Amino acid sequence: MTQVINAAELDAYLLQVVQALHRTVNYALPRLNDEKEADKALEDCEEILTLVLDGRVADWLG
Amino acid sequence: MFADKVEAKDFEKMDPEYQDLVRKVLTIQSDCEIGGPHLYVESMLPSAPTRLDKLIVARTATEEIDHFRKFAHVAGDIGLDVSFVLSLPNQKRYVETFRGEIKTWEDFAVFGCLIDRIGRYQLEEFIGCSYRPIEPLLPDIINEELGHIDYGETQTRELAARGGESKEKIQRALDRWYTKALDMFGHSVSARSERYVYWGIKRRTNAEARQEYIKEVNPLIESMGLSVPDPLQGRHYL
């Protein structure tokens, strides 16, 4: 059985999102005392998470 | 009792009831994975007490999104598209617990302690699952859920230990989520629950899993100096 195209594309997209979020969190964790760096990372996380939780799959895969 | 293992390529040869139950469980599991971040990201990411807490909120949401991705992948292999749950309004989530919003740190803490623990229970149901593609997902996902539970438990314990208003707030949050937690197991008398067990998709009935959960969390709550809420108060599924 082959995977439906939508699911495969969605999987690849979300994997990139998850990797980007992990990179951002892991970058910030050792820099908690650097207010500017940590806050920038948190802003980036918020932006990415908001995008994902909007759930506009057609836009992502379009 | 069905004891075989089913691969994705053989899924369509299976009894229609089996196919229906696997589709249902994959859809609900996907919905529950993404339902958590929908509850807390908007409010908790900007308002968590410290930068470290904020990063942990972000990491927790990231891991839940990844769990969704993994279940959506397994669903996609049998032609089931669960992407619609990504944009479901909270009020339309399959499980009542996810139909709201977490707005306080106390609620976030107790959610991790009690509700992510149920996430672990639900995932453990699939250990030895007759639908083979689910099992390889479990070790990593359960391990990450254990991290969420541990963080929630630590936060809950610390907030309780502060006493006074902090303890009162965490007790109120516990009262809210305990009821939802017990309801998450569903009706004790459930024909569908028995069919899941019959087909080897789940290991325990709703009633068995709920009893084990109560046995685990009640002593934990007491060890924090908090009161175990009335297990019948406000319940929808007994």
Side-chain angles (χ1 to χ4, degrees):
Chain A
M1 179 167 301
T2 54
Q3 182 160 97
V4 290
I5 289 171
N6 186 16
E9 289 181 6
L10 180 64
D11 183 79
Y13 180 86
L14 287 177
L15 184 58
Q16 285 184 351
V17 166
V18 165
Q19 288 169 340
L21 282 163
H22 275 309
R23 271 197 305 273
T24 309
V25 170
N26 291 338
Y27 176 81
L29 279 173
R31 295 173 176 79
L32 282 172
N33 292 329
D34 184 334
E35 201 171 306
K36 199 174 158 191
E37 291 277 3
D39 285 348
K40 173 70 174 69
L42 281 164
E43 278 172 29
D44 290 346
C45 286
E46 192 168 357
E47 189 180 331
I48 299 169
L49 285 167
T50 302
L51 179 82
V52 177
L53 298 179
D54 272 351
R56 295 182 188 173
V57 179
D59 290 352
W60 305 341
L61 308 183
Chain B
M1 189 80 114
F2 183 73
D4 291 350
K5 297 290 180 187
V6 178
E7 301 288 352
K9 66 181 173 52
D10 299 318
F11 181 73
E12 286 181 356
K13 298 176 200 158
M14 290 299 296
D15 186 286
E17 183 187 38
Y18 183 87
Q19 293 188 38
D20 182 52
L21 290 172
V22 169
R23 286 194 185 99
K24 207 176 288 291
V25 87
L26 287 173
T27 304
I28 293 172
Q29 190 63 38
S30 302
D31 189 53
C32 289
E33 297 293 356
I34 204 68
H38 274 276
L39 278 179
Y40 56 74
V41 164
E42 191 176 350
S43 298
M44 289 298 105
L45 192 54
S47 70
T50 67
R51 284 193 182 84
L52 175 60
D53 292 321
K54 288 175 187 180
L55 285 170
I56 289 172
V57 170
R59 187 175 64 192
T60 302
T62 301
E63 289 173 351
E64 298 293 5
I65 291 166
D66 200 36
H67 301 171
F68 165 83
R69 179 186 69 79
K70 288 172 177 173
F71 275 100
H73 187 101
V74 168
D77 282 341
I78 52 171
L80 175 66
D81 180 2
V82 295
S83 65
F84 69 96
V85 305
L86 284 163
S87 57
L88 270 188
N90 285 7
Q91 297 80 2
K92 296 198 172 174
R93 294 275 159 216
Y94 282 79
V95 176
E96 197 273 340
T97 302
F98 297 101
R99 296 179 199 149
E101 196 180 349
I102 287 177
K103 292 197 169 189
T104 72
W105 190 244
E106 290 79 11
D107 283 298
F108 183 77
V110 174
F111 183 86
C113 182
L114 292 187
I115 306 300
D116 280 321
R117 193 179 304 271
I118 292 186
R120 190 199 86 208
Y121 268 71
Q122 306 291 22
L123 291 161
E124 285 172 350
E125 286 304 309
F126 300 133
I127 293 172
C129 178
S130 61
Y131 188 59
R132 201 189 287 273
I134 292 178
E135 191 147 21
L137 307 181
L138 300 178
D140 286 348
I141 297 182
I142 290 175
N143 194 38
E144 287 175 349
E145 292 296 351
L146 286 171
H148 305 170
I149 295 163
D150 184 56
Y151 182 72
E153 189 178 315
T154 302
Q155 292 294 312
T156 303
R157 189 179 293 282
E158 284 180 8
L159 291 165
R162 287 181 196 167
E165 193 184 346
S166 174
K167 189 174 177 182
E168 286 169 20
K169 281 185 179 173
I170 201 76
Q171 180 68 57
R172 283 200 293 275
L174 186 76
D175 293 346
R176 278 192 290 279
W177 291 102
Y178 187 81
T179 302
K180 291 173 189 283
L182 298 189
D183 268 348
M184 281 182 79
F185 292 96
H187 288 290
S188 291
V189 180
S190 161
R192 185 187 292 167
S193 161
E194 286 171 15
R195 299 308 289 166
Y196 275 123
V197 174
Y198 169 81
W199 282 112
I201 298 167
K202 293 186 177 183
R203 296 187 299 145
R204 298 169 288 202
T205 62
N206 293 346
E208 288 166 345
R210 177 163 34 234
Q211 276 314 308
E212 287 182 32
Y213 178 81
I214 288 171
K215 211 169 148 189
E216 179 178 331
V217 297
N218 284 9
L220 182 69
I221 291 168
E222 286 165 349
S223 77
M224 296 174 179
L226 296 168
S227 305
V228 175
D230 179 346
L232 300 177
Q233 176 99 33
R235 291 275 304 284
H236 295 127
Y237 305 108
L238 294 171

